[in-house]
Amino acid sequence: MYQWIVIGGGIQGSCVASRLLEAEKVEKEDLLIIDPHSQPLERWRTITNKIEMKHLRSPFVHHLDADPYSLKKYSSAYNYASGFKGQYQRPRLDMFNQHSLDLLEKTGVMTCWLRGEVSGLSRKASGWQVYMADGRYFVSEHVVLAMGVNHISHYPSWAEKYKGSALVRHVFEMDDRLPETGDVIVVGGGMTAAHLAYALTQKESIDTVTMVKRHPLRIHHFDSDPGWLGPKYMNKYDKLTSYKERREVIQNARNRGSVTRDLYLKLLKQERAGRLNMITDNVESIKEHTDETIQLLMENSESVEGHTILLATGPAVAMPGKEWLDPVISQMRLLCAPCGFPIVSKSLEWGEGLFVAGALAELEIGPVSRNIAGARKAAERVLQYA
């Protein structure tokens, strides 16, 4: 029997697990981290590497270590050249990743790792039973649900029938590399789409790159106002007793489909150089041709043709783990808001010994819950209980 099981080994789960070990709230042999991938942060590293992201959007104090200045010290100790960028000192991605992996190695997260798929959860007299897709199960006093949202890609309705096709692919798909030749169309208007489009324009073997977005590029430094990190906005948010209102506040606070100014300027430069076409319009449908090209039919502008369509349209709008959490919610009568997401305590406890992090904690933590700052906050809340 374990003391703690953390389900999900991405940014959220790794941060919580690392803090539990570092604060000596649990011994390594009493902690289990379950994730579909072979290593911590594997999905994060695969996707950010695919789109050739160079710097994080968040500032230097947002990382997995408890010490907010840990990444600064790490940069100096290991002589990273230009480790941070701009007035907000956004860290180099490679440095952030190595800092994270070194921390997880030091705290012992790597030794607690189990690769596998969770298929169910139930509460017994002995504790929580976590069921695996391969038939095994594990028992623990406490469970942290830290599943990410990026494991299910959002396909717009016009692209649904092309799932699994070589012509239309989603950037969140783990086993795909970027195309090396032909005319490529990127669909999306946020940071992932912008990084992806820019990376493709750097490949000389690509003939043309077209970025199709539903709205003009929106420029924001961060994915939500920094005021959501502290009392400036959270004091008022915490007083909201309506979870419907909280959901509306979260949706309005997030700068969805926005890009940083430096990335915006890079795209403009490539557009002026003739390496990138940018179209603002709604896609209506797809037309496939016999010469292995595909055509996007637009609502207002001319159609766009290419050999590959890459979707950067984000994750599907769904609660993480919904397929196996729904029976648990019903059996345990766990509280949920009208949107279906958990109603939890200040310590992020959903049921006795059952905790949440990331997207599942956002009705309590607020708009920053899904990002690195949210992972830090979730870890602090769980630690207060532990």
mmCIF file with all atom_site columns, all heavy atoms in Angstrom, residues 208-224:
data_model
loop_
_atom_site.group_PDB
_atom_site.id
_atom_site.type_symbol
_atom_site.label_atom_id
_atom_site.label_alt_id
_atom_site.label_comp_id
_atom_site.label_asym_id
_atom_site.label_entity_id
_atom_site.label_seq_id
_atom_site.pdbx_PDB_ins_code
_atom_site.Cartn_x
_atom_site.Cartn_y
_atom_site.Cartn_z
_atom_site.occupancy
_atom_site.B_iso_or_equiv
_atom_site.pdbx_formal_charge
_atom_site.auth_seq_id
_atom_site.auth_comp_id
_atom_site.auth_asym_id
_atom_site.auth_atom_id
_atom_site.pdbx_PDB_model_num
ATOM 1   N N   . THR A 1 208 ? 5.833   26.555 -49.354 1.00 0.00 ? 208 THR A N   1
ATOM 2   C CA  . THR A 1 208 ? 5.085   27.684 -48.793 1.00 0.00 ? 208 THR A CA  1
ATOM 3   C C   . THR A 1 208 ? 4.508   27.297 -47.438 1.00 0.00 ? 208 THR A C   1
ATOM 4   O O   . THR A 1 208 ? 4.223   26.132 -47.177 1.00 0.00 ? 208 THR A O   1
ATOM 5   C CB  . THR A 1 208 ? 3.919   28.122 -49.702 1.00 0.00 ? 208 THR A CB  1
ATOM 6   O OG1 . THR A 1 208 ? 2.949   27.072 -49.763 1.00 0.00 ? 208 THR A OG1 1
ATOM 7   C CG2 . THR A 1 208 ? 4.395   28.474 -51.099 1.00 0.00 ? 208 THR A CG2 1
ATOM 8   N N   . VAL A 1 209 ? 4.339   28.312 -46.583 1.00 0.00 ? 209 VAL A N   1
ATOM 9   C CA  . VAL A 1 209 ? 3.693   28.127 -45.282 1.00 0.00 ? 209 VAL A CA  1
ATOM 10  C C   . VAL A 1 209 ? 2.558   29.134 -45.187 1.00 0.00 ? 209 VAL A C   1
ATOM 11  O O   . VAL A 1 209 ? 2.756   30.331 -45.401 1.00 0.00 ? 209 VAL A O   1
ATOM 12  C CB  . VAL A 1 209 ? 4.682   28.344 -44.113 1.00 0.00 ? 209 VAL A CB  1
ATOM 13  C CG1 . VAL A 1 209 ? 3.964   28.127 -42.768 1.00 0.00 ? 209 VAL A CG1 1
ATOM 14  C CG2 . VAL A 1 209 ? 5.890   27.433 -44.236 1.00 0.00 ? 209 VAL A CG2 1
ATOM 15  N N   . THR A 1 210 ? 1.365   28.644 -44.904 1.00 0.00 ? 210 THR A N   1
ATOM 16  C CA  . THR A 1 210 ? 0.197   29.513 -44.732 1.00 0.00 ? 210 THR A CA  1
ATOM 17  C C   . THR A 1 210 ? -0.388  29.295 -43.346 1.00 0.00 ? 210 THR A C   1
ATOM 18  O O   . THR A 1 210 ? -0.604  28.159 -42.932 1.00 0.00 ? 210 THR A O   1
ATOM 19  C CB  . THR A 1 210 ? -0.879  29.214 -45.792 1.00 0.00 ? 210 THR A CB  1
ATOM 20  O OG1 . THR A 1 210 ? -0.313  29.358 -47.094 1.00 0.00 ? 210 THR A OG1 1
ATOM 21  C CG2 . THR A 1 210 ? -2.060  30.171 -45.641 1.00 0.00 ? 210 THR A CG2 1
ATOM 22  N N   . MET A 1 211 ? -0.617  30.394 -42.636 1.00 0.00 ? 211 MET A N   1
ATOM 23  C CA  . MET A 1 211 ? -1.213  30.334 -41.303 1.00 0.00 ? 211 MET A CA  1
ATOM 24  C C   . MET A 1 211 ? -2.656  30.827 -41.399 1.00 0.00 ? 211 MET A C   1
ATOM 25  O O   . MET A 1 211 ? -2.897  31.968 -41.787 1.00 0.00 ? 211 MET A O   1
ATOM 26  C CB  . MET A 1 211 ? -0.405  31.199 -40.330 1.00 0.00 ? 211 MET A CB  1
ATOM 27  C CG  . MET A 1 211 ? -0.870  31.142 -38.887 1.00 0.00 ? 211 MET A CG  1
ATOM 28  S SD  . MET A 1 211 ? 0.221   32.146 -37.836 1.00 0.00 ? 211 MET A SD  1
ATOM 29  C CE  . MET A 1 211 ? -0.530  31.895 -36.230 1.00 0.00 ? 211 MET A CE  1
ATOM 30  N N   . VAL A 1 212 ? -3.606  29.950 -41.074 1.00 0.00 ? 212 VAL A N   1
ATOM 31  C CA  . VAL A 1 212 ? -5.026  30.296 -41.156 1.00 0.00 ? 212 VAL A CA  1
ATOM 32  C C   . VAL A 1 212 ? -5.567  30.426 -39.735 1.00 0.00 ? 212 VAL A C   1
ATOM 33  O O   . VAL A 1 212 ? -5.492  29.491 -38.945 1.00 0.00 ? 212 VAL A O   1
ATOM 34  C CB  . VAL A 1 212 ? -5.821  29.219 -41.925 1.00 0.00 ? 212 VAL A CB  1
ATOM 35  C CG1 . VAL A 1 212 ? -7.306  29.553 -41.923 1.00 0.00 ? 212 VAL A CG1 1
ATOM 36  C CG2 . VAL A 1 212 ? -5.297  29.088 -43.349 1.00 0.00 ? 212 VAL A CG2 1
ATOM 37  N N   . LYS A 1 213 ? -6.103  31.583 -39.405 1.00 0.00 ? 213 LYS A N   1
ATOM 38  C CA  . LYS A 1 213 ? -6.605  31.845 -38.062 1.00 0.00 ? 213 LYS A CA  1
ATOM 39  C C   . LYS A 1 213 ? -7.957  32.540 -38.140 1.00 0.00 ? 213 LYS A C   1
ATOM 40  O O   . LYS A 1 213 ? -8.260  33.225 -39.117 1.00 0.00 ? 213 LYS A O   1
ATOM 41  C CB  . LYS A 1 213 ? -5.613  32.701 -37.282 1.00 0.00 ? 213 LYS A CB  1
ATOM 42  C CG  . LYS A 1 213 ? -5.140  33.909 -38.056 1.00 0.00 ? 213 LYS A CG  1
ATOM 43  C CD  . LYS A 1 213 ? -3.837  34.466 -37.541 1.00 0.00 ? 213 LYS A CD  1
ATOM 44  C CE  . LYS A 1 213 ? -3.289  35.545 -38.444 1.00 0.00 ? 213 LYS A CE  1
ATOM 45  N NZ  . LYS A 1 213 ? -4.224  36.532 -38.926 1.00 0.00 ? 213 LYS A NZ  1
ATOM 46  N N   . ARG A 1 214 ? -8.763  32.355 -37.113 1.00 0.00 ? 214 ARG A N   1
ATOM 47  C CA  . ARG A 1 214 ? -10.115 32.913 -37.119 1.00 0.00 ? 214 ARG A CA  1
ATOM 48  C C   . ARG A 1 214 ? -10.148 34.377 -36.735 1.00 0.00 ? 214 ARG A C   1
ATOM 49  O O   . ARG A 1 214 ? -11.149 35.054 -36.956 1.00 0.00 ? 214 ARG A O   1
ATOM 50  C CB  . ARG A 1 214 ? -11.010 32.113 -36.164 1.00 0.00 ? 214 ARG A CB  1
ATOM 51  C CG  . ARG A 1 214 ? -11.279 30.687 -36.615 1.00 0.00 ? 214 ARG A CG  1
ATOM 52  C CD  . ARG A 1 214 ? -12.233 29.995 -35.680 1.00 0.00 ? 214 ARG A CD  1
ATOM 53  N NE  . ARG A 1 214 ? -11.686 29.906 -34.331 1.00 0.00 ? 214 ARG A NE  1
ATOM 54  C CZ  . ARG A 1 214 ? -12.365 29.493 -33.264 1.00 0.00 ? 214 ARG A CZ  1
ATOM 55  N NH1 . ARG A 1 214 ? -13.638 29.165 -33.386 1.00 0.00 ? 214 ARG A NH1 1
ATOM 56  N NH2 . ARG A 1 214 ? -11.799 29.411 -32.083 1.00 0.00 ? 214 ARG A NH2 1
ATOM 57  N N   . HIS A 1 215 ? -9.086  34.884 -36.153 1.00 0.00 ? 215 HIS A N   1
ATOM 58  C CA  . HIS A 1 215 ? -9.060  36.276 -35.696 1.00 0.00 ? 215 HIS A CA  1
ATOM 59  C C   . HIS A 1 215 ? -7.664  36.852 -35.922 1.00 0.00 ? 215 HIS A C   1
ATOM 60  O O   . HIS A 1 215 ? -6.687  36.103 -36.058 1.00 0.00 ? 215 HIS A O   1
ATOM 61  C CB  . HIS A 1 215 ? -9.417  36.348 -34.203 1.00 0.00 ? 215 HIS A CB  1
ATOM 62  C CG  . HIS A 1 215 ? -8.580  35.420 -33.347 1.00 0.00 ? 215 HIS A CG  1
ATOM 63  N ND1 . HIS A 1 215 ? -7.265  35.681 -33.021 1.00 0.00 ? 215 HIS A ND1 1
ATOM 64  C CD2 . HIS A 1 215 ? -8.875  34.234 -32.769 1.00 0.00 ? 215 HIS A CD2 1
ATOM 65  C CE1 . HIS A 1 215 ? -6.786  34.708 -32.285 1.00 0.00 ? 215 HIS A CE1 1
ATOM 66  N NE2 . HIS A 1 215 ? -7.745  33.803 -32.120 1.00 0.00 ? 215 HIS A NE2 1
ATOM 67  N N   . PRO A 1 216 ? -7.545  38.187 -35.966 1.00 0.00 ? 216 PRO A N   1
ATOM 68  C CA  . PRO A 1 216 ? -6.211  38.791 -36.066 1.00 0.00 ? 216 PRO A CA  1
ATOM 69  C C   . PRO A 1 216 ? -5.356  38.367 -34.870 1.00 0.00 ? 216 PRO A C   1
ATOM 70  O O   . PRO A 1 216 ? -5.888  38.036 -33.801 1.00 0.00 ? 216 PRO A O   1
ATOM 71  C CB  . PRO A 1 216 ? -6.499  40.301 -36.029 1.00 0.00 ? 216 PRO A CB  1
ATOM 72  C CG  . PRO A 1 216 ? -7.927  40.433 -36.448 1.00 0.00 ? 216 PRO A CG  1
ATOM 73  C CD  . PRO A 1 216 ? -8.620  39.198 -35.956 1.00 0.00 ? 216 PRO A CD  1
ATOM 74  N N   . LEU A 1 217 ? -4.043  38.375 -35.053 1.00 0.00 ? 217 LEU A N   1
ATOM 75  C CA  . LEU A 1 217 ? -3.156  37.987 -33.958 1.00 0.00 ? 217 LEU A CA  1
ATOM 76  C C   . LEU A 1 217 ? -3.351  38.924 -32.765 1.00 0.00 ? 217 LEU A C   1
ATOM 77  O O   . LEU A 1 217 ? -3.325  40.144 -32.907 1.00 0.00 ? 217 LEU A O   1
ATOM 78  C CB  . LEU A 1 217 ? -1.702  38.022 -34.427 1.00 0.00 ? 217 LEU A CB  1
ATOM 79  C CG  . LEU A 1 217 ? -1.306  36.926 -35.427 1.00 0.00 ? 217 LEU A CG  1
ATOM 80  C CD1 . LEU A 1 217 ? 0.093   37.178 -35.951 1.00 0.00 ? 217 LEU A CD1 1
ATOM 81  C CD2 . LEU A 1 217 ? -1.394  35.542 -34.783 1.00 0.00 ? 217 LEU A CD2 1
ATOM 82  N N   . ARG A 1 218 ? -3.576  38.332 -31.593 1.00 0.00 ? 218 ARG A N   1
ATOM 83  C CA  . ARG A 1 218 ? -3.762  39.105 -30.364 1.00 0.00 ? 218 ARG A CA  1
ATOM 84  C C   . ARG A 1 218 ? -2.462  39.064 -29.567 1.00 0.00 ? 218 ARG A C   1
ATOM 85  O O   . ARG A 1 218 ? -1.904  37.986 -29.329 1.00 0.00 ? 218 ARG A O   1
ATOM 86  C CB  . ARG A 1 218 ? -4.900  38.497 -29.530 1.00 0.00 ? 218 ARG A CB  1
ATOM 87  C CG  . ARG A 1 218 ? -6.222  38.398 -30.276 1.00 0.00 ? 218 ARG A CG  1
ATOM 88  C CD  . ARG A 1 218 ? -7.138  37.415 -29.565 1.00 0.00 ? 218 ARG A CD  1
ATOM 89  N NE  . ARG A 1 218 ? -8.446  37.310 -30.217 1.00 0.00 ? 218 ARG A NE  1
ATOM 90  C CZ  . ARG A 1 218 ? -9.277  36.297 -30.041 1.00 0.00 ? 218 ARG A CZ  1
ATOM 91  N NH1 . ARG A 1 218 ? -8.935  35.291 -29.239 1.00 0.00 ? 218 ARG A NH1 1
ATOM 92  N NH2 . ARG A 1 218 ? -10.450 36.272 -30.649 1.00 0.00 ? 218 ARG A NH2 1
ATOM 93  N N   . ILE A 1 219 ? -2.004  40.204 -29.130 1.00 0.00 ? 219 ILE A N   1
ATOM 94  C CA  . ILE A 1 219 ? -0.711  40.275 -28.445 1.00 0.00 ? 219 ILE A CA  1
ATOM 95  C C   . ILE A 1 219 ? -0.917  40.431 -26.942 1.00 0.00 ? 219 ILE A C   1
ATOM 96  O O   . ILE A 1 219 ? -1.548  41.386 -26.486 1.00 0.00 ? 219 ILE A O   1
ATOM 97  C CB  . ILE A 1 219 ? 0.129   41.445 -28.988 1.00 0.00 ? 219 ILE A CB  1
ATOM 98  C CG1 . ILE A 1 219 ? 0.332   41.295 -30.496 1.00 0.00 ? 219 ILE A CG1 1
ATOM 99  C CG2 . ILE A 1 219 ? 1.478   41.511 -28.282 1.00 0.00 ? 219 ILE A CG2 1
ATOM 100 C CD1 . ILE A 1 219 ? 0.963   42.495 -31.151 1.00 0.00 ? 219 ILE A CD1 1
ATOM 101 N N   . HIS A 1 220 ? -0.379  39.472 -26.188 1.00 0.00 ? 220 HIS A N   1
ATOM 102 C CA  . HIS A 1 220 ? -0.384  39.534 -24.728 1.00 0.00 ? 220 HIS A CA  1
ATOM 103 C C   . HIS A 1 220 ? 0.922   38.929 -24.227 1.00 0.00 ? 220 HIS A C   1
ATOM 104 O O   . HIS A 1 220 ? 1.399   37.928 -24.760 1.00 0.00 ? 220 HIS A O   1
ATOM 105 C CB  . HIS A 1 220 ? -1.558  38.751 -24.136 1.00 0.00 ? 220 HIS A CB  1
ATOM 106 C CG  . HIS A 1 220 ? -2.891  39.368 -24.407 1.00 0.00 ? 220 HIS A CG  1
ATOM 107 N ND1 . HIS A 1 220 ? -3.362  40.468 -23.719 1.00 0.00 ? 220 HIS A ND1 1
ATOM 108 C CD2 . HIS A 1 220 ? -3.856  39.045 -25.301 1.00 0.00 ? 220 HIS A CD2 1
ATOM 109 C CE1 . HIS A 1 220 ? -4.570  40.793 -24.171 1.00 0.00 ? 220 HIS A CE1 1
ATOM 110 N NE2 . HIS A 1 220 ? -4.887  39.947 -25.134 1.00 0.00 ? 220 HIS A NE2 1
ATOM 111 N N   . HIS A 1 221 ? 1.493   39.536 -23.189 1.00 0.00 ? 221 HIS A N   1
ATOM 112 C CA  . HIS A 1 221 ? 2.729   38.991 -22.630 1.00 0.00 ? 221 HIS A CA  1
ATOM 113 C C   . HIS A 1 221 ? 2.511   37.586 -22.080 1.00 0.00 ? 221 HIS A C   1
ATOM 114 O O   . HIS A 1 221 ? 3.335   36.692 -22.269 1.00 0.00 ? 221 HIS A O   1
ATOM 115 C CB  . HIS A 1 221 ? 3.253   39.898 -21.500 1.00 0.00 ? 221 HIS A CB  1
ATOM 116 C CG  . HIS A 1 221 ? 3.827   41.187 -21.980 1.00 0.00 ? 221 HIS A CG  1
ATOM 117 N ND1 . HIS A 1 221 ? 4.900   41.247 -22.848 1.00 0.00 ? 221 HIS A ND1 1
ATOM 118 C CD2 . HIS A 1 221 ? 3.489   42.480 -21.706 1.00 0.00 ? 221 HIS A CD2 1
ATOM 119 C CE1 . HIS A 1 221 ? 5.189   42.515 -23.102 1.00 0.00 ? 221 HIS A CE1 1
ATOM 120 N NE2 . HIS A 1 221 ? 4.348   43.271 -22.424 1.00 0.00 ? 221 HIS A NE2 1
ATOM 121 N N   . PHE A 1 222 ? 1.394   37.396 -21.363 1.00 0.00 ? 222 PHE A N   1
ATOM 122 C CA  . PHE A 1 222 ? 1.138   36.117 -20.694 1.00 0.00 ? 222 PHE A CA  1
ATOM 123 C C   . PHE A 1 222 ? -0.236  35.583 -21.073 1.00 0.00 ? 222 PHE A C   1
ATOM 124 O O   . PHE A 1 222 ? -1.045  36.294 -21.670 1.00 0.00 ? 222 PHE A O   1
ATOM 125 C CB  . PHE A 1 222 ? 1.234   36.299 -19.175 1.00 0.00 ? 222 PHE A CB  1
ATOM 126 C CG  . PHE A 1 222 ? 2.535   36.925 -18.733 1.00 0.00 ? 222 PHE A CG  1
ATOM 127 C CD1 . PHE A 1 222 ? 2.546   38.181 -18.147 1.00 0.00 ? 222 PHE A CD1 1
ATOM 128 C CD2 . PHE A 1 222 ? 3.739   36.267 -18.913 1.00 0.00 ? 222 PHE A CD2 1
ATOM 129 C CE1 . PHE A 1 222 ? 3.735   38.766 -17.749 1.00 0.00 ? 222 PHE A CE1 1
ATOM 130 C CE2 . PHE A 1 222 ? 4.937   36.844 -18.519 1.00 0.00 ? 222 PHE A CE2 1
ATOM 131 C CZ  . PHE A 1 222 ? 4.930   38.095 -17.934 1.00 0.00 ? 222 PHE A CZ  1
ATOM 132 N N   . ASP A 1 223 ? -0.510  34.328 -20.676 1.00 0.00 ? 223 ASP A N   1
ATOM 133 C CA  . ASP A 1 223 ? -1.807  33.746 -21.021 1.00 0.00 ? 223 ASP A CA  1
ATOM 134 C C   . ASP A 1 223 ? -2.923  34.194 -20.086 1.00 0.00 ? 223 ASP A C   1
ATOM 135 O O   . ASP A 1 223 ? -4.086  33.884 -20.310 1.00 0.00 ? 223 ASP A O   1
ATOM 136 C CB  . ASP A 1 223 ? -1.747  32.216 -21.118 1.00 0.00 ? 223 ASP A CB  1
ATOM 137 C CG  . ASP A 1 223 ? -0.929  31.579 -20.022 1.00 0.00 ? 223 ASP A CG  1
ATOM 138 O OD1 . ASP A 1 223 ? -0.744  32.216 -18.966 1.00 0.00 ? 223 ASP A OD1 1
ATOM 139 O OD2 . ASP A 1 223 ? -0.473  30.441 -20.217 1.00 0.00 ? 223 ASP A OD2 1
ATOM 140 N N   . SER A 1 224 ? -2.580  34.931 -19.032 1.00 0.00 ? 224 SER A N   1
ATOM 141 C CA  . SER A 1 224 ? -3.568  35.642 -18.216 1.00 0.00 ? 224 SER A CA  1
ATOM 142 C C   . SER A 1 224 ? -2.828  36.758 -17.485 1.00 0.00 ? 224 SER A C   1
ATOM 143 O O   . SER A 1 224 ? -1.600  36.715 -17.348 1.00 0.00 ? 224 SER A O   1
ATOM 144 C CB  . SER A 1 224 ? -4.264  34.705 -17.210 1.00 0.00 ? 224 SER A CB  1
ATOM 145 O OG  . SER A 1 224 ? -3.335  34.153 -16.302 1.00 0.00 ? 224 SER A OG  1
#
